[in-house]
Amino acid sequence: MSKKKQDIIIVICVITLVLSVCAIFCIYYMNKNEEFIFSENLDKIVLTVKDDSESMDISMQEIAYYIINVEGDVDDMAHQFNNENLNAYWNVKLDKGLYTMRKYAKDLVIEKSVMDNIYYMEAIKNNMTLTDKEKELASEDAHIILKNMTAKQMDVTDYSFADLYKIMNKLYLTAKYVGQLMEAGYTREELDYKGSYYLKLKDEYSYIVEEKLWDEVKLGELTVDRKND
């Protein structure tokens, strides 16, 4: 092969390599700058709670129920703190400035969901079920929640009655099991997510958060209405 042909082949290889690298960088930055849309990720698993015998997968749509409640509570406090600048409260720094209220709210969503799923799994292990009357009450609650959801909450969660009824069934069974523990003498404080009984029980479980997915979720105005919405 002549030196001229070798030079041409080398030039072609270099150009191909450069174009490949450019394409990779373009794809990376396009994906990096692509806006995360919560409602397009509802079926993805964001949290898994498990012990030695079983595991429970929690979808983004299910955890949205906790987002609505936690975000709503923090938003109420934000209005009291500074009604003209709601982000002021969301950005309040905690724990020597290393932790913000926004991060605390996200962690609380996970903690509450983990707790409910642990108690739910405990209820299943103890062969606990709902009565027909309790299922009826769960159905009524699902209808009430669906009726009172805002347009923004509906857009974000895409809840149907069936979706909410499934969540209510789980929460009713969780509450029934916790109620049984209270009848046995445990206090509500001991059974809460920072309580001594729960923390001991929690040690028997583990949970995995899909961090890459969860990091995309931004609380503050995801499910709450702002003045300029």
Side-chain angles (χ1 to χ4, degrees):
M1 182 184 295
S2 67
K3 186 176 185 303
K4 184 176 181 181
K5 286 184 177 180
Q6 286 180 333
D7 291 341
I8 292 173
I9 291 174
I10 292 172
V11 170
I12 291 174
C13 289
V14 170
I15 292 174
T16 302
L17 179 61
V18 170
L19 291 175
S20 297
V21 171
C22 289
I24 291 171
F25 274 102
C26 286
I27 292 171
Y28 171 77
Y29 282 108
M30 285 175 65
N31 290 335
K32 185 178 180 181
N33 295 324
E34 186 177 348
E35 181 183 1
F36 177 79
I37 301 176
F38 190 94
S39 59
E40 293 181 358
N41 293 272
L42 297 176
D43 61 336
K44 293 182 179 177
I45 301 302
V46 68
L47 173 67
T48 300
V49 181
K50 58 184 179 179
D51 64 2
D52 294 335
S53 60
E54 60 181 321
S55 64
M56 189 73 61
D57 290 331
I58 296 91
S59 68
M60 190 73 87
Q61 189 176 46
E62 180 175 338
I63 213 165
Y65 176 83
Y66 295 88
I67 291 175
I68 288 174
N69 284 281
V70 170
E71 193 174 45
D73 289 343
V74 177
D75 186 66
D76 287 342
M77 292 185 282
H79 278 86
Q80 297 175 35
F81 185 77
N82 187 340
N83 196 46
E84 298 302 318
N85 180 15
L86 300 181
N87 281 325
Y89 187 74
W90 281 97
N91 294 330
V92 164
K93 293 184 177 180
L94 311 169
D95 191 21
K96 298 179 181 179
L98 301 176
Y99 202 57
T100 64
M101 182 59 68
R102 196 181 306 275
K103 181 66 167 63
Y104 166 77
K106 282 193 71 176
D107 288 348
L108 186 59
V109 167
I110 295 295
E111 289 288 352
K112 292 287 189 179
S113 182
V114 169
M115 180 182 70
D116 284 348
N117 277 280
I118 286 177
Y119 281 134
Y120 176 75
M121 293 167 74
E122 287 291 306
I124 296 297
K125 289 179 186 177
N126 285 274
N127 300 313
M128 184 172 283
T129 59
L130 296 179
T131 64
D132 289 341
K133 179 60 177 177
E134 289 166 339
K135 290 179 182 177
E136 183 181 337
L137 292 173
S139 175
E140 290 175 3
D141 277 359
H143 277 298
I144 291 172
I145 292 171
L146 191 63
K147 181 181 178 180
N148 288 284
M149 287 183 69
T150 66
K152 187 169 188 176
Q153 290 169 346
M154 287 298 299
D155 286 341
V156 170
T157 64
D158 195 31
Y159 278 145
S160 65
F161 166 75
D163 297 324
L164 283 169
Y165 179 58
K166 183 178 180 180
I167 294 172
M168 288 302 104
N169 263 274
K170 178 182 282 190
L171 292 179
Y172 261 74
L173 192 61
T174 296
K176 186 173 184 177
Y177 182 73
V178 170
Q180 188 179 76
L181 292 174
M182 292 180 69
E183 289 175 2
Y186 294 102
T187 66
R188 187 171 297 279
E189 289 74 20
E190 291 174 308
L191 300 173
D192 201 5
Y193 78 102
K194 288 186 177 180
S196 57
Y197 177 90
Y198 170 68
L199 291 177
K200 185 176 180 180
L201 176 63
K202 186 181 178 184
D203 286 339
E204 300 175 16
Y205 287 80
S206 63
Y207 65 93
I208 300 171
V209 179
E210 296 298 331
E211 297 290 355
K212 186 176 181 180
L213 179 61
W214 187 235
D215 284 346
E216 295 287 351
V217 178
K218 309 299 180 187
L219 298 193
E221 50 186 306
L222 180 63
T223 64
V224 292
D225 293 315
R226 291 290 185 90
K227 291 178 180 180
N228 58 349
D229 285 348

